[in-house]
Each structure stands twice: as structure tokens, then as C-alpha cells.
Amino acid sequence: MDTDVDESDATPLPTPRIRAGFGPRITTVRGFSSRGGFYLLEVAGPVEMDFLGLDHFQEALPSINPTEEDAFCQRMRALGARWFENETEAERKTPLK
């Protein structure tokens, strides 16, 4: 029996629709581009959160306005955010912290 999994046939994991989620040492921020996919940024401090206009202590949801969300993605890109097509790609290409 062949146990190898062909990742090209795997269904991508759903992307969480939360803009900012807090971990023990790092905050993960996502921006949802109107072109598809999402930007991912791991921030470590309040300066980046202030620049992005996010609360330091509460999860945030993405804007329902595509223009506002694209502007948020641009601010994320200024801090080094990376774009991913889906969550599976992000997990594969982002080292665990």
C-alpha cells in the first residue's frame, strides 16, 4: 500500500478570516487582498500594531470594504508581509515560531 501523499491533490486548508490573532510571543496578522489570496505578517511589538491601526489586545476582523482591505494590505507589505494563495501554502512556506 502506497502511503505517500501527493500534495498537489490535497485540498487547501481554509484561511481564518481573522485579521489579527495573538500567540504567546507573536501576533499573526492577515490581510485579504481583493485579488485573492492573503498577506501574512508576524509582528512582535506595539509599533507595528500601531502602524497597522490594530488594537494590541483584541482580535480584529477584516474590512468588508475591498478598497479599505487593499489599503491595509499595502501597509502590511511596507512591514514585509508575504502573499500566499492559501493557508496550506502559508503553512508549508512559513517556519513555525
Side-chain angles (χ1 to χ4, degrees):
M1 184 168 135
D2 186 11
T3 59
D4 290 338
V5 176
D6 181 4
E7 288 185 13
S8 64
D9 293 336
T11 302
L13 296 170
T15 300
R17 295 300 291 185
I18 295 175
R19 181 177 273 177
F22 302 92
R25 289 180 291 209
I26 202 103
T27 300
T28 302
V29 179
R30 286 178 171 82
F32 301 93
S33 172
S34 64
R35 296 180 178 176
F38 66 99
Y39 287 94
L40 181 66
L41 179 66
E42 293 177 335
V43 296
V47 174
E48 295 95 340
M49 295 293 282
D50 286 344
F51 178 76
L52 294 171
L54 295 173
D55 188 290
H56 303 205
F57 303 104
Q58 292 187 0
E59 289 185 339
L61 299 175
S63 175
I64 60 172
N65 179 318
T67 303
E68 288 177 5
E69 193 64 14
D70 284 344
F72 181 79
C73 290
Q74 284 296 101
R75 289 193 305 277
M76 289 181 63
R77 290 181 65 206
L79 295 174
R82 294 177 56 197
W83 180 86
F84 297 98
E85 186 175 343
N86 56 55
E87 193 67 23
T88 302
E89 177 187 15
E91 284 188 4
R92 191 171 57 244
K93 293 183 178 179
T94 305
L96 295 174
K97 293 198 179 190

